[in-house]
Amino acid sequence: MTIQSKFDPINAIIAPIILVIVLGGIGVGIGFISFLDVSNGKADSIFNTPIYGSALMFAAMIGIVIHYLRIIKKIQIDNQGIKFTNLFQSEFIRWIDVKKIEMTGKSQNMNTPAETTNLILNTGKRIEILAPFYKNISLIRIALEQILESLSKEDPIELKPIKEAPKVKFHGFVNYRDMNKYSGNHFLSFNGILIYGMIAFSIYVLILDSPKYLGSIAAFSMSGFFYGFLGYQLHYFYLDKNCLVIKNHVWPWVNHVYKIEDIKEIVFEIPYKRSISLRVITKGYQSKLYPGGSLRDKTWKAIKEEFKGLKVNIRDEAF
């Protein structure tokens, strides 16, 4: 049996392309301004203009293209080993050469912490599989879990048929009023102040706006962006011995319920320039991140202690 990786279209394709386009656009813009300064006589030489910024942007763009082409690899897993292929090289690793498999972990990608699965070879070499780049990462991890079990028992390696791990059923009814609540005052949090401040500003603009309402449209569009981007940072939690419930201060439709018995690992982490977050990884290797921007450090530590009491595996990367 062979397992083939499938790229996540947003993280592995669209996001890198947008980043390259943005850098390229800035480079073109700086270059245009530089040549315009020379043609208008504002600068007597192209070297006395911001053209160096343009060169820097294009260098960064090329570097990022090479970076992503190296780290985004096609993966193939079978009974003999695992094969990694990118534009520059192809590498096949036999299972006999694998010393250890870390099913979950963290790595830095462009200053952003990314979930990984790690292979440690007998030579000491470490190979990282960046989870966000693969749509079927749960399937890959389940296959590697089979391999790890065979290696630990020194049994012959034979991949059994694997089905894609079913999506976790997030929604359900729980009497969370009898559960321990872990939250904070989101009105006084950085995210909450910006959200409600922008909404108030939009209403103010609407009252004073001209009959064309162009300013109001722009203001409410910005409010919608703030509500979406910063609202995602405002989750809070209920917990007892049976369930973990996730809600959101400003998104009333969020009601994600996990049974404690279905949770493989809880991760406390700090994504780049975002709030401290709780990541839930299920036993089927479904993974979801919940930023909690209203919670204080003492509240995070309290929920961590309760997870410890429930004998849930914890990876603390925040404290």
Side-chain angles (χ1 to χ4, degrees):
M1 180 177 179
T2 301
I3 303 295
Q4 300 273 5
S5 63
K6 297 178 182 177
F7 291 131
D8 181 274
I10 295 177
N11 294 318
I13 300 172
I14 296 175
I17 289 175
I18 290 176
L19 180 57
V20 168
I21 290 174
V22 169
L23 290 174
I26 295 173
V28 170
I30 295 174
F32 177 78
I33 292 172
S34 299
F35 284 105
L36 197 61
D37 285 349
V38 174
S39 64
N40 291 338
K42 292 182 179 180
D44 57 359
S45 171
I46 191 66
F47 299 107
N48 293 326
T49 67
I51 193 67
Y52 300 103
S54 181
L56 182 63
M57 287 297 105
F58 285 120
M61 183 181 70
I62 293 170
I64 286 173
V65 169
I66 294 173
H67 169 74
Y68 276 105
L69 289 177
R70 287 188 181 279
I71 66 173
I72 300 177
K73 305 174 182 178
K74 182 180 178 181
I75 301 171
Q76 180 176 303
I77 301 171
D78 60 26
N79 295 334
Q80 282 70 48
I82 182 168
K83 184 178 181 181
F84 297 95
T85 306
N86 62 23
L87 187 64
F88 302 102
Q89 64 178 2
S90 179
E91 181 181 17
F92 180 77
I93 299 167
R94 300 177 303 165
W95 296 125
I96 195 173
D97 296 325
V98 176
K99 180 180 180 180
K100 183 180 179 182
I101 301 176
E102 298 171 348
M103 301 307 301
T104 59
K106 195 66 99 262
S107 177
Q108 289 291 120
N109 175 49
M110 304 292 292
N111 292 325
T112 302
E115 278 290 304
T116 62
T117 291
N118 308 309
L119 274 64
I120 314 299
L121 307 187
N122 294 328
T123 60
K125 181 180 179 181
R126 178 187 178 92
I127 299 176
E128 297 177 341
I129 299 173
L130 291 166
F133 292 151
Y134 301 99
K135 185 170 67 173
N136 62 337
I137 185 62
S138 61
L139 193 67
I140 292 171
R141 282 173 163 168
I142 292 171
L144 290 174
E145 194 171 52
Q146 283 191 25
I147 301 296
L148 181 61
E149 184 178 357
S150 297
L151 289 174
S152 62
K153 294 180 179 179
E154 298 184 350
D155 290 341
I157 293 174
E158 184 177 355
L159 277 176
K160 300 174 183 177
I162 303 172
K163 292 184 178 180
E164 187 83 42
K167 295 292 183 181
V168 175
K169 298 292 184 181
F170 289 125
H171 300 284
F173 175 78
V174 174
N175 187 12
Y176 55 86
R177 292 176 179 80
D178 296 328
M179 305 170 73
N180 293 325
K181 182 180 180 181
Y182 297 94
S183 179
N185 188 339
H186 77 285
F187 291 103
L188 300 179
S189 69
F190 174 78
N191 299 291
I193 290 172
L194 287 180
I195 290 173
Y196 293 115
M198 193 64 204
I199 291 174
F201 175 73
S202 299
I203 295 173
Y204 174 76
V205 171
L206 178 63
I207 294 172
L208 299 180
D209 204 1
S210 67
K212 293 182 179 180
Y213 295 112
L214 295 179
S216 298
I217 293 173
F220 276 103
S221 296
M222 286 296 297
S223 294
F225 173 79
F226 275 58
Y227 180 76
F229 180 74
L230 298 178
Y232 172 66
Q233 315 272 341
L234 290 174
H235 294 92
Y236 62 100
F237 313 96
Y238 290 91
L239 183 63
D240 67 8
K241 65 180 181 179
N242 298 312
C243 292
L244 166 66
V245 180
I246 295 96
K247 289 184 170 292
N248 188 290
H249 289 291
V250 298
W251 293 357
W253 59 86
V254 173
N255 183 43
H256 295 178
V257 180
Y258 296 87
K259 292 182 179 179
I260 297 299
E261 63 187 25
D262 292 334
I263 297 175
K264 184 176 186 65
E265 187 176 29
I266 290 291
V267 187
F268 296 90
E269 61 183 82
I270 307 178
Y272 182 63
K273 292 187 176 181
R274 279 185 281 171
S275 306
I276 296 175
S277 306
L278 184 145
R279 181 181 296 278
V280 182
I281 302 176
T282 69
K283 292 181 178 178
Y285 290 106
Q286 299 294 329
S287 174
K288 194 165 182 65
L289 187 70
Y290 298 97
S294 72
L295 279 68
R296 297 182 179 272
D297 284 359
K298 64 179 182 180
T299 309
W300 282 113
K301 292 175 182 178
I303 192 173
K304 176 183 172 182
E305 289 303 314
E306 183 165 359
F307 275 121
K308 281 184 178 179
L310 296 172
K311 308 299 181 184
V312 175
N313 292 328
I314 294 172
R315 181 156 36 105
D316 187 357
E317 300 169 351
F319 303 101

